[in-house]
Amino acid sequence: MNHLLNLDGPVMQFINKIVYSVYLNILWLICCIPIVTIGASTTALFYVTLKMARNEEGNVTKAFFHSFKSNLKQGTKIWMILLSLGVILGIDGYVLYHMRFENVFWTLCTAVFIAAAVAYAIVLMYIFPLLARFDNTVIAMFKNAMFIGVRFLLCTILMAVIHFVMLLVVVRIFTPAVIFGEGLCALLCSYLLSNVLQLCQEKTEVHAKTSET
């Protein structure tokens, strides 16, 4: 028991990481204020939390802003694409909800909309952690986010549950929990993503060596 409560023990280390996640959540919110920088800010958040999941965080402020500056251009481009697609999906969902025709066409359109919304959510959850870890083109980032999200479906479901529970707590139960917000979600998701991204990196390295030979 004493070992668990030791300052260097696993429990205290995890509590320390949660405190850091609150700080990171504040940085994330501040850097999201211009709206167009949400992509770069989210990438920077995952850059640090993925390091925290591997106990490699170091100076979190320095690491956050290093990633923010490095991924500002590509992160903004990806975010603007996602924002545009999200607006389109939102309008489509609004129209479908208010139409509510009980016919085959409406049912088919609704099924397509749900499939598109699920695909959008998967890409949204994976693309910024991928950008934080790998260098690739924007198109490749979208493709890889979708592929990995479907390939590791359990991880995807758990990440969705983490974000849903946080939203539920903030909106319905305890609004001040917003202080944890995306920072804690990113930290918990990073623990789930750590092995997944490591596996992807190993496969990328093997493929690169094979291509060279």
Side-chain angles (χ1 to χ4, degrees):
M1 186 67 180
N2 290 334
H3 173 67
L4 291 176
L5 297 178
N6 189 286
L7 291 177
D8 295 323
V11 174
M12 293 304 296
Q13 283 189 2
F14 186 69
I15 292 174
N16 190 49
K17 291 180 190 296
I18 291 177
V19 174
Y20 272 128
S21 75
V22 173
Y23 172 64
L24 286 168
N25 186 56
I26 295 171
L27 289 182
W28 177 77
L29 285 170
I30 292 172
C31 291
C32 283
I33 290 174
I35 305 299
V36 295
T37 57
I38 289 177
S41 184
T42 306
T43 302
L45 175 63
F46 273 100
Y47 178 80
V48 180
T49 55
L50 284 168
K51 283 182 172 291
M52 290 169 65
R54 304 192 305 270
N55 297 315
E56 301 172 356
E57 58 266 29
N59 188 318
V60 296
T61 306
K62 184 177 180 180
F64 182 92
F65 285 106
H66 166 75
S67 176
F68 183 85
K69 292 176 183 177
S70 299
N71 296 291
L72 180 59
K73 184 177 180 179
Q74 195 171 28
T76 300
K77 188 181 294 185
I78 289 172
W79 166 244
M80 295 311 294
I81 294 172
L82 286 169
L83 182 60
S84 301
L85 292 174
V87 170
I88 293 171
L89 280 172
I91 294 172
D92 288 344
Y94 178 85
V95 171
L96 284 171
Y97 177 77
H98 284 84
M99 285 174 58
R100 284 180 288 187
F101 294 139
E102 294 184 2
N103 55 38
V104 176
F105 178 72
W106 182 85
T107 303
L108 181 61
C109 288
T110 302
V112 171
F113 169 77
I114 292 172
V118 170
Y120 179 84
I122 291 174
V123 171
L124 189 63
M125 286 190 291
Y126 277 90
I127 198 164
F128 295 116
L130 284 175
L131 180 58
R133 188 74 178 268
F134 301 103
D135 292 323
N136 218 326
T137 64
V138 172
I139 294 175
M141 286 290 181
F142 273 89
K143 288 180 179 178
N144 291 337
M146 189 67 216
F147 174 79
I148 295 172
V150 174
R151 169 67 177 80
F152 298 96
L153 194 57
L154 178 59
C155 179
T156 302
I157 293 171
L158 290 175
M159 288 170 62
V161 169
I162 288 170
H163 282 92
F164 176 77
V165 170
M166 177 59 72
L167 181 64
L168 184 65
V169 169
V170 170
V171 174
R172 292 293 184 89
I173 301 174
F174 187 63
T175 304
V178 72
I179 193 66
F180 294 99
E182 185 61 21
L184 182 58
C185 288
L187 177 62
L188 296 176
C189 289
S190 291
Y191 278 102
L192 295 172
L193 286 169
S194 186
N195 290 335
V196 171
L197 296 183
Q198 182 61 36
L199 180 61
C200 293
Q201 185 171 349
E202 290 172 359
K203 287 187 176 181
T204 302
E205 291 171 354
V206 170
H207 183 267
K209 290 179 181 177
T210 305
S211 299
E212 290 176 0
T213 56

